[in-house]
């Protein structure tokens, strides 16, 4: 249950690069237990989630990409192109 001493707090998961990839997977796992959870991803690696899974968690996961950082743009289709 929720801790009454810290009842106003919500869980935030924040990560950079591979840490943000782990953060989004952890968020998917914990979302049912912590419905107010939010995840902030800085330069997450591309290609970790399917399009359907990525769009289904878009209401609580936000990703930020800086300029032409290659890590978030890596995917099988981009590598093949």
């Amino acid at each position: 249950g929720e801790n009454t001493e810290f009842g106003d707090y919500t869980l935030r998961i924040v990560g950079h690069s591979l840490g943000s990839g782990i953060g989004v997977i952890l968020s998917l796992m914990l979302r049912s237990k912590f419905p107010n959870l939010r995840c902030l991803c800085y330069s997450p690696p591309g290609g970790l989630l399917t399009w359907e899974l990525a769009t289904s968690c878009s209401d609580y996961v936000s990703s930020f990409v800086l300029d032409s950082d290659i890590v978030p743009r890596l995917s099988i289709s981009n590598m093949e192109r």
Side-chain angles (χ1 to χ4, degrees), residues 48-80:
L48 286 181
L49 305 177
T50 63
W51 178 259
E52 292 79 16
L53 190 54
T55 55
S56 73
C57 66
S58 64
D59 60 326
Y60 60 94
V61 175
S62 299
S63 296
F64 302 92
V65 178
L66 181 63
D67 295 327
S68 58
D69 189 351
I70 192 170
V71 173
R73 292 172 172 80
L74 289 177
S75 68
I76 296 297
S77 61
N78 284 345
M79 298 287 280
E80 289 173 347

Side-chain angles (χ1 to χ4, degrees), residues 12 28 36 39 51-52 54 65 81:
R12 299 289 186 251
L28 290 165
N36 292 326
C39 180
W51 178 259
E52 292 79 16
V65 178
R81 275 190 256 155

Side-chain angles (χ1 to χ4, degrees), residues 3-4 8 10 13 15-17 22 24 30-31 34-36 38 44 46 49 52 58 60-61 63-64 66 73-74 80:
N3 186 329
T4 56
D8 292 338
T10 56
I13 297 174
H16 172 258
S17 196
I22 293 167
V24 74
L30 294 177
R31 178 69 171 173
F34 300 95
N36 292 326
R38 298 289 179 265
L49 305 177
E52 292 79 16
S58 64
Y60 60 94
V61 175
S63 296
F64 302 92
L66 181 63
R73 292 172 172 80
L74 289 177
E80 289 173 347

